[in-house]
Amino acid sequence: MNILVLNCGSSSIKYQLLEMSGEPQVLAKGIVERIGLSMGCLAHKNNRDEKYEIEQPVPNHTVGIQLVLAALTDKNHGVISSLDEIKAVGHRVAHGGEYFTQSVLLDADAIAKIEACCDLAPLHNPAHLLGMRAIMDVLPNIPQTAVFDTSFHQSMPASSYMYPIPYRLYEQYKIRRYGFHGTSHKFVAEKACKILGWNIEEKKIITCHLGNGASITAIKNGKSVDTSMGFTPVEGLMMGTRTGDLDLGALLFIMEKENLSVSDANSFINKKCGTNGFSEISSDMRDLEAEAEKGNERAELTLQMYAHRVRKYIGAYAAVMNGVDLIIMTGGIGENSCDTRRRVLNDMEYLGLIFDNEKNKGIRAKDEIISKPESKVIAMTITTNEELVIAMDTLRLVNGK
Ligand code: AMP
């Protein structure tokens, strides 16, 4: 059974077609970009490693979806002969507010609720809705699902998700901590427990999703009990271009001194800070590691700050759960950066973790244990795959489970 996974942004559509009958396989993937601009483009790659690119105006998401479907069924570069071979479409949805605790089949009620969350994710949810409606235009009878970045964290207790601001602001605008990357945190925790033969419902796990965006989650008995991203993805860890935790007073001071509007400040905290803004070198860990290696002090300090902040959250979440059994490193940095893993996980004997520095070296994009056999707490690298989670949830929902 083939499932099309879509991640629709305001001017882009990322897609993957997965065959889910047996061992899941990616048949094709690609991206449509510059939707709504004078010239758009599609870049498509199939499972024979053939690339196919076209440039043409893509005035809206419906035309974008038509391009994707044409690429998937293209005589030369396609992977299916007819659209009937696509059984369902799964959408990544950034925000499900307090409405969704799990993935859902789309119906009028679900669409209305996703629409009601547009205020909370003004850049993302409207774009997802455009994608859903475009599918309804082009493939009116196909089942569609929504898989939310936020739903896994709906299990957090109020003591984790409330901000100390007047309660009426929560009641009036639903201002609270939601958390993101939920699909990834849940997936890697379940995958690691499967590998270890553990029952997730008896374990305390800290999952570090360290990619260009980064967040960390405390998972107790299979449920998210705290996570570092908040009302928006800006809170928490230092990221590629986002500040992470910052004194609100400092932001007000910067706004005043640099004469920033609200929109300027939003762009500042999301796009101009983090490892890129601070280092003035790059948001990419590979570049920072190479510069630090050459003796660049700012690059070295950036790497130290990055690791320091992850370590602080690990300590905090061990305290929140009264201990930890497993620490997972995932995302582009967690899976690939041996240096970041060493900086974060070394010297954690106080917690019962004995890091295996030798084994850690050279582990990239693999599911591996990186703590020593005698370590009470296990540390692992686990590869994440958000598209696969969306396809698996979609398959489960269309099969009525
Ligand atoms: P993601 O957002 O999960 O795709 O992660 C992307 C980030 O992973 C990049 O910006 C890099 O900082 C990081 N990354 C990918 N490969 C490596 C590597 N081999 N070493 C260090 N960092 C890496």
Side-chain angles (χ1 to χ4, degrees), residues 80-95:
I80 49 174
S81 46
S82 127
L83 293 178
D84 295 341
E85 292 176 43
I86 304 176
K87 293 298 174 217
V89 178
H91 294 265
R92 178 231 162 196
V93 178
H95 220 304

Side-chain angles (χ1 to χ4, degrees), residues 53-283:
E53 289 190 10
I54 44 174
E55 286 217 346
Q56 68 162 74
V58 186
N60 54 49
H61 283 68
T62 300
V63 175
I65 295 287
Q66 282 165 337
L67 272 184
V68 171
L69 298 177
L72 292 173
T73 50
D74 183 86
K75 270 207 289 301
N76 298 318
H77 308 283
V79 287
I80 49 174
S81 46
S82 127
L83 293 178
D84 295 341
E85 292 176 43
I86 304 176
K87 293 298 174 217
V89 178
H91 294 265
R92 178 231 162 196
V93 178
H95 220 304
E98 293 186 327
Y99 293 113
F100 299 100
T101 56
Q102 54 194 359
S103 308
V104 289
L105 269 175
L106 281 186
D107 58 12
D109 179 57
I111 296 225
K113 287 173 175 160
I114 294 168
E115 201 145 28
C117 296
C118 283
D119 215 17
L120 298 173
L123 296 179
H124 294 96
N125 276 29
H128 306 324
L129 287 159
L130 287 174
M132 291 166 191
R133 293 193 169 115
I135 291 286
M136 286 173 201
D137 280 349
V138 183
L139 298 169
N141 298 318
I142 202 160
Q144 299 193 66
T145 66
V147 179
F148 302 91
D149 282 9
T150 49
S151 59
F152 179 56
H153 301 301
Q154 279 297 299
S155 53
M156 286 193 288
S159 52
S160 299
Y161 72 67
M162 284 298 190
Y163 286 118
I165 54 176
Y167 192 80
R168 72 165 181 85
L169 294 172
Y170 166 66
E171 292 178 307
Q172 205 170 337
Y173 306 114
K174 291 282 167 239
I175 299 176
R176 49 158 283 182
R177 308 183 61 254
Y178 290 95
F180 298 88
H181 290 143
T183 25
S184 175
H185 289 290
K186 178 171 184 277
F187 177 72
V188 296
E190 287 174 352
K191 190 179 185 190
C193 285
K194 213 167 163 189
I195 292 170
L196 295 167
W198 284 5
N199 178 359
I200 196 168
E201 290 180 7
E202 295 167 353
K203 298 294 174 187
K204 297 168 184 172
I205 304 172
I206 296 176
T207 48
C208 309
H209 178 110
L210 310 180
N212 197 31
S215 66
I216 174 163
T217 296
I219 302 174
K220 191 172 183 184
N221 306 336
K223 294 198 162 58
S224 168
V225 293
D226 205 349
T227 192
S228 60
M229 284 179 168
F231 180 66
T232 74
V234 177
E235 192 179 337
L237 302 175
M238 180 173 179
M239 307 181 213
T241 58
R242 294 187 190 118
T243 53
D245 294 336
L246 172 76
D247 180 352
L248 300 174
L251 179 63
L252 297 178
F253 189 86
I254 295 164
M255 286 176 75
E256 195 165 37
K257 291 284 180 200
E258 301 263 311
N259 208 10
L260 303 185
S261 66
V262 171
S263 144
D264 295 337
N266 189 34
S267 159
F268 175 75
I269 58 177
N270 276 288
K271 299 189 178 145
K272 308 267 169 62
C273 294
T275 50
N276 192 41
F278 181 77
S279 68
E280 297 174 308
I281 298 168
S282 171
S283 63

Side-chain angles (χ1 to χ4, degrees), residues 344-363:
V344 171
L345 297 173
N346 226 351
D347 300 328
M348 281 210 178
E349 287 81 9
Y350 83 95
L351 202 62
L353 173 67
I354 307 172
F355 180 62
D356 190 336
N357 197 25
E358 282 313 305
K359 189 153 181 218
N360 174 57
K361 285 180 193 159
I363 291 183

Side-chain angles (χ1 to χ4, degrees), residues 198 203-204 322-327 348-355 371-379:
W198 284 5
K203 298 294 174 187
K204 297 168 184 172
N322 188 20
V324 56
D325 300 303
L326 171 66
I327 300 175
M348 281 210 178
E349 287 81 9
Y350 83 95
L351 202 62
L353 173 67
I354 307 172
F355 180 62
S371 50
K372 292 208 167 153
E374 65 270 28
S375 182
K376 190 166 78 61
V377 176
I378 293 184

